[in-house]
Amino acid sequence: MLRVTLSLGGNVVRKYPFDRDRVVIGRDPECDIAIDNVAVSRNHASLRRDGASWLLEDLQSGNGTYVGGERISKRPMASGESFVIGKYTLLFETLSDAEAAVDAASRKAGGEDRTFRMESGDIERVVGKAGRGGDLRASLVPQGGGSAIPLIKPFYFAGSAPDCAIPASGFLVSPRVALLVRDEGGYRLVKVGGRFGKVTVNGQASDSRVLKSGDVVDLCGRTFKYES
């Protein structure tokens, strides 16, 4: 799955998810990503799948398509790279199956804001995309002492419910605050408990991200260091 995030002046205008092999960007309202600006050509640029990779191609636009400050005609794109059309910045991302399921749940709930409480059916779909197999061994080490929580299964829940492998408690804390799911060779932390329940990674609020070894995770005031 593909996602393009359109920004202007550092502010996100809209996120566009696609499950197709070609996406056209331009001023024409019929474009997949329509940008109503005179600096944008009617059919300005496209992203298309080329085997296992993606290509960004300028469609002979008047003002050009830029990556890293350089005007391009055709260029392979890696997930996480951005390109510029006029005054707009477009972030290109390919999504894992698990992240695509999270993204779909967010859109179903009404928009980009993921402070919604994920429904049980959506949680089950994310869990169903969990990676399996491999020799990954990871753990959450409580800061301030305590036994490490080994992570070897496809998924784990954190919350106040008795069946949560990672306990989190406090005022108005949801039974299930967060989900750890195997993804992209590690574990993805997904906030599922809505507005109630603090979930941060390295001090920053996190809705969905793949953890890296050394990341500090705060679940409702209980802090862990992720090791893998």
Side-chain angles (χ1 to χ4, degrees):
M1 185 172 176
L2 163 70
R3 181 171 65 201
V4 179
T5 302
L6 178 69
S7 299
L8 177 63
N11 298 312
V12 173
V13 176
R14 185 175 171 184
K15 295 182 179 182
Y16 296 86
F18 297 103
D19 189 11
R20 63 182 68 172
D21 293 334
R22 188 171 186 263
V23 172
V24 178
I25 306 146
R27 196 176 70 251
D28 192 319
E30 296 299 316
C31 287
D32 300 304
I33 300 176
I35 304 175
D36 186 13
N37 186 277
V38 294
V40 180
S41 298
R42 291 187 64 83
N43 291 281
H44 195 108
S46 71
L47 285 160
R48 64 178 176 85
R49 190 188 296 275
D50 183 32
S53 60
W54 285 85
L55 287 178
L56 171 65
E57 184 175 4
D58 184 83
L59 302 177
Q60 299 182 337
S61 67
N63 293 313
T65 302
Y66 294 81
V67 178
E70 295 185 4
R71 187 166 182 167
I72 63 97
S73 57
K74 185 183 296 184
R75 183 186 186 280
M77 294 292 288
S79 183
E81 286 191 305
S82 296
F83 57 99
V84 175
I85 292 177
K87 294 183 178 181
Y88 292 83
T89 299
L90 298 96
L91 172 65
F92 165 80
E93 297 173 285
T94 55
L95 306 184
S96 68
D97 289 344
E99 175 65 353
V102 174
D103 189 81
S106 172
R107 287 184 282 110
K108 188 179 77 172
E112 316 300 344
D113 182 6
R114 288 187 183 166
T115 56
F116 67 95
R117 184 185 299 274
M118 190 179 286
E119 297 178 1
S120 58
D122 295 318
I123 293 175
E124 290 174 5
R125 277 185 280 277
V126 175
V127 166
K129 302 298 183 181
R132 287 167 170 77
D135 57 358
L136 174 67
R137 293 293 183 272
S139 62
L140 288 177
V141 181
Q143 302 295 279
S147 300
I149 301 173
L151 303 176
I152 57 175
K153 297 179 181 179
F155 65 91
Y156 297 87
F157 284 106
S160 60
D163 61 344
C164 287
I166 306 166
S169 59
F171 182 64
L172 292 179
V173 171
S174 302
R176 288 177 172 176
V177 172
L179 167 68
L180 276 168
V181 58
R182 286 276 293 270
D183 189 25
E184 297 184 15
Y187 277 92
R188 177 179 295 278
L189 176 67
V190 182
K191 185 176 181 181
V192 300
R195 297 183 183 277
F196 303 111
K198 176 183 178 183
V199 178
T200 69
V201 179
N202 301 327
Q204 295 185 338
S206 178
D207 295 314
S208 176
R209 66 179 286 177
V210 174
L211 297 176
K212 297 179 181 178
S213 189
D215 281 347
V216 176
V217 179
D218 188 325
L219 298 171
C220 304
R222 191 173 185 197
T223 308
F224 302 87
K225 184 177 181 180
Y226 175 77
E227 295 184 350
S228 62

